Amino acid sequence: QVQLVESGGGLVQPGGSLRLSCAASGSWFSIDDMTWYRQAPGKERELVASITSEGSTNYADSVKGRFTISRDNAKNTVYLQMDRLKPEDTAVYYCNVAGLSSYYPYRTYWGQGTQVTVSS
């Protein structure tokens, strides 16, 4: 079965750093875009950063220059390095992966979410 397992969230002070990980377990033929979203209380889910299988990246304006997305294709894992964190970065962060597994037709998958709280 396919499963996205996220880790790395937590409580950090403003200006601090966190690194999120999302590992796509199971059997895959191909994984295309890997994306991080976030959802703050009372707000809609928004795209934070995405990376293609070739390594091309895209960032929300609010995180450009502070967050870095990367991936390890051998491990089917995507990372989000978050630096200079601000209180407004507080949210539940979700991993999204688009790909073809051994079990289902091509589709996207969501992780369970990991809480990031930026507070002094």
Side-chain angles (χ1 to χ4, degrees):
Q1 281 286 14
V2 169
Q3 189 176 8
L4 302 186
V5 180
E6 302 171 9
S7 60
L11 173 64
V12 64
Q13 292 186 343
S17 298
L18 282 174
R19 189 190 194 209
L20 305 183
S21 299
C22 172
S25 65
S27 177
W28 296 84
F29 292 116
S30 64
I31 295 178
D32 293 333
D33 291 1
M34 305 182 86
T35 306
W36 287 98
Y37 289 82
R38 68 185 180 187
Q39 187 166 20
K43 295 188 177 181
E44 293 187 355
R45 191 172 296 188
E46 62 175 356
L47 185 147
V48 177
S50 65
I51 185 167
T52 69
S53 57
E54 294 82 18
S56 296
T57 59
N58 180 54
Y59 296 92
D61 287 342
S62 58
V63 306
K64 281 181 181 177
R66 300 188 298 121
F67 290 10
T68 303
I69 189 171
S70 61
R71 64 191 283 172
D72 184 333
N73 290 331
K75 296 181 179 180
N76 290 339
T77 299
V78 61
Y79 306 96
L80 186 67
Q81 177 67 41
M82 304 185 294
D83 299 317
R84 304 202 307 275
L85 281 160
K86 304 176 181 180
E88 50 263 45
D89 295 318
T90 296
V92 178
Y93 284 70
Y94 297 91
C95 170
N96 178 279
V97 168
L100 179 63
S101 72
S102 301
Y103 316 99
Y104 303 106
Y106 189 94
R107 53 164 285 186
T108 60
Y109 300 83
W110 288 94
Q112 80 283 3
T114 185
Q115 177 70 46
V116 172
T117 302
V118 184
S119 175
S120 55

